């Protein structure tokens, strides 16, 4: 029997959350921490429902060129996980002058073959990331009396690096940012991490005490200071590098170094752990349901007028919000990663990626629900 389009649509909606159209025009980057067995899983969610995975719980072998294979580690990722930086740990060469030549490769998640890139690094220097475009390799090197030096190298078969930024020792230890993927995954050893976020004209990081710092390319990190002299102690970043920062004096939108103060009242009850839309036009945050009969809430704040809108999403099986991320290609779409209530950190939760239509208020599931440990989305890693 052939159903009329309207009837078919009604049947789809009435049966639960609608399924999103299986067309992959965007990816969202997420992560899961496996506290029980140790290790980190990186997930690249496609809007077609497919998920590509890289994890450091088990070693895997990757071909670097036509003649060499090696155990590999993930040492970075470009925006939305479109490209990963792979480190061939069996192919390192120690040179007589104290340097080390690394064999690296750039490719998609779950790649089986990459073109080898030779990178000669200084003592203690390790690769930690790809730039958002995927065209540069970022390394870090702790230097006594200086701090941490970040360098960038063109992702070419042979390349020379330049100083990307320096984190001065005087700033103290490093904190943690969760806006974009950061750090290198190491199997059987501690992960190497530098809290790094890519703004529209500068890099951001954070100190152990929670002070937000930034640096222009080639410069030194220093505290982010608003025009009134107040220092940033919290921030969120959009996928295109606009920053929303908090200081003791209030909230500021930062675009290419220009600060615009926003009224405090707009942010009553708001946590900066939400998501900032491209261009800094709006901010969204989620409120997990406390019990099955209470809906999960997503609240958006228009950063031009302060107007709020609340979306109530009742689903007793997925009451928790594990992360939000605004779409880059679809301005009216917000991605949600929802999950069941955790019983313990030693057991997986049911996780579902969804797309919220901000105009109509409807939610569509993207792909099937999967079991995962401590999942979250990177709110500024969409593309």
């Amino acid at each position: 029997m052939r159903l009329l389009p309207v009837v078919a649509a009604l049947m789809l909606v009435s049966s639960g959350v609608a399924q999103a159209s299986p067309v992959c025009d965007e990816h969202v980057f997420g992560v899961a921490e496996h506290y029980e067995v140790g290790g980190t899983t990186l997930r690249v969610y496609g809007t077609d429902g497919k998920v590509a995975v890289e994890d450091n719980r088990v070693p895997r072998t990757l071909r670097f060129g036509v003649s060499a294979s090696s155990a590999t580690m993930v040492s970075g990722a470009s925006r939305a996980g479109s490209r990963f930086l792979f480190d061939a740990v069996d192919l390192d060469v120690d040179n007589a002058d104290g340097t080390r030549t690394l064999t690296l490769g750039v490719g998609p998640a779950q790649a089986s073959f990459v073109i080898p890139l030779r990178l000669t690094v200084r003592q203690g220097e390790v690769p930690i990331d790809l730039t958002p475009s995927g065209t540069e390799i970022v390394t870090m090197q702790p230097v006594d009396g200086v701090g941490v030096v970040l360098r960038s190298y063109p992702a070419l078969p042979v390349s020379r690096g330049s100083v990307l930024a320096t984190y001065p020792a005087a700033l103290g230890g490093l904190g943690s940012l969760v806006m974009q993927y950061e750090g290198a995954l190491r199997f059987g050893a501690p992960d190497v991490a530098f809290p790094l976020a890519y703004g529209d004209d500068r890099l951001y990081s954070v100190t152990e005490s929670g002070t937000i710092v930034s640096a222009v390319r080639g410069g030194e990190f220093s505290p982010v200071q608003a025009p009134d002299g107040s220092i940033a102690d919290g921030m969120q970043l959009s996928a295109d590098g606009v920053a929303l920062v908090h200081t003791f004096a209030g909230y500021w939108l930062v675009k290419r170094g220009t600060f615009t103060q926003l009224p405090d009242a707009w942010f009553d009850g708001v946590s900066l752990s939400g998501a900032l839309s491209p261009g800094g036009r709006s901010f969204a945050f989620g409120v997990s349901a406390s019990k099955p009969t209470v809906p999960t809430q997503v609240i958006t704040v228009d950063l031009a007028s302060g107007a709020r809108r609340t979306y109530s999403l009742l689903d007793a099986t997925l009451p928790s919000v594990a992360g939000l991320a605004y779409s880059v290609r679809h301005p009216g779409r917000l991605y949600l990663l929802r999950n069941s209530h955790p019983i313990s950190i030693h057991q997986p939760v049911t996780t579902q990626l969804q797309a919220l239509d901000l105009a109509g208020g409807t939610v569509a599931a993207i792909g099937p629900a999967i079991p995962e440990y401590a999942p979250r989305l990177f709110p500024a890693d969409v593309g």
Side-chain angles (χ1 to χ4, degrees):
M1 180 176 67
R2 186 166 177 241
L3 294 173
L4 294 174
V6 173
V7 176
L10 287 173
M11 289 184 67
L12 179 63
V13 173
S14 64
S15 64
V17 176
Q19 286 289 327
S21 175
V23 175
C24 189
D25 61 358
E26 194 162 50
H27 292 90
V28 192
F29 207 7
V31 67
E33 304 290 345
H34 296 263
Y35 301 115
E36 175 70 16
V37 296
T40 305
T41 299
L42 297 172
R43 291 188 177 274
V44 183
Y45 298 91
T47 52
D48 59 355
K50 296 179 181 178
V51 182
V53 179
E54 284 289 348
D55 78 66
N56 71 336
R57 292 178 298 161
V58 292
R60 78 179 187 93
T61 299
L62 179 64
R63 281 179 53 203
F64 289 79
V66 295
S67 60
S69 294
S70 170
T72 186
M73 298 182 296
V74 174
S75 289
S78 62
R79 179 175 288 120
S82 60
R83 290 290 182 271
F84 282 79
L85 177 64
F86 298 101
D87 189 344
V89 296
D90 298 333
L91 303 180
D92 292 353
V93 176
D94 292 319
N95 303 313
D97 61 0
T99 62
R100 172 174 287 190
T101 299
L102 310 178
T103 298
L104 307 174
V106 176
Q110 301 175 333
S112 59
F113 170 90
V114 290
I115 296 173
L117 311 176
R118 313 294 181 189
L119 192 68
T120 299
V121 296
R122 297 159 178 80
Q123 187 172 16
E125 185 180 6
V126 294
I128 61 164
D129 207 2
L130 283 174
T131 56
S133 65
T135 58
E136 294 176 276
I137 298 165
V138 179
T139 69
M140 63 173 281
Q141 179 193 18
V143 179
D144 290 342
V146 175
V148 178
V149 178
L150 301 178
R151 294 185 180 87
S152 66
Y153 297 79
L156 300 172
V158 179
S159 63
R160 298 184 62 180
S162 59
V163 173
L164 181 63
T166 302
Y167 182 91
L171 290 176
L174 291 160
S176 177
L177 294 174
V178 291
M179 292 168 285
Q180 297 164 326
Y181 169 65
E182 59 194 37
L185 303 186
R186 296 287 186 259
F187 174 75
D191 292 348
V192 179
F194 185 96
L196 187 61
Y198 300 87
D200 52 13
D201 70 342
R202 65 197 59 224
L203 300 169
Y204 290 97
S205 189
V206 64
T207 70
E208 192 173 28
S209 64
T211 298
I212 304 299
V213 294
S214 69
V216 297
R217 191 179 185 101
E220 284 194 351
F221 284 98
S222 62
V224 172
Q225 188 171 13
D228 64 359
S230 56
I231 301 297
D233 56 13
M235 73 172 291
Q236 190 51 263
L237 198 69
S238 68
D240 60 353
V242 176
L244 175 64
V245 302
H246 174 266
T247 74
F248 68 81
Y251 293 85
W252 306 77
L253 205 60
V254 186
K255 297 182 180 181
R256 297 198 170 277
T258 299
F259 285 74
T260 301
Q261 190 165 21
L262 304 174
D264 282 359
W266 292 3
F267 298 93
D268 286 346
V270 171
S271 166
L272 287 184
S273 61
L276 184 65
S277 72
R281 292 181 292 272
S282 62
F283 183 79
F285 63 102
V287 180
S288 297
S290 58
K291 52 187 178 181
T293 56
V294 175
T296 299
Q297 289 189 330
V298 173
I299 302 166
T300 60
V301 182
D302 186 305
L303 297 186
S305 65
R308 290 194 179 199
R309 180 172 178 181
T310 300
Y311 302 84
S312 294
L313 311 173
L314 182 60
D315 187 339
T317 65
L318 299 168
S320 297
V321 179
L324 305 173
Y326 275 95
S327 171
V328 172
R329 296 179 179 271
H330 306 280
R333 178 186 296 176
L334 180 70
Y335 296 109
L336 316 175
L337 190 63
R338 300 174 69 181
N339 61 264
S340 58
H341 275 314
I343 298 174
S344 79
I345 63 172
H346 307 300
Q347 295 185 23
V349 293
T350 299
T351 304
Q352 176 71 65
L353 183 68
Q354 299 178 342
L356 172 61
D357 180 347
L358 295 172
T362 57
V363 172
I366 299 176
I370 56 175
E372 192 56 279
Y373 290 84
R376 68 177 187 267
L377 286 185
F378 296 115
D381 237 335
V382 183

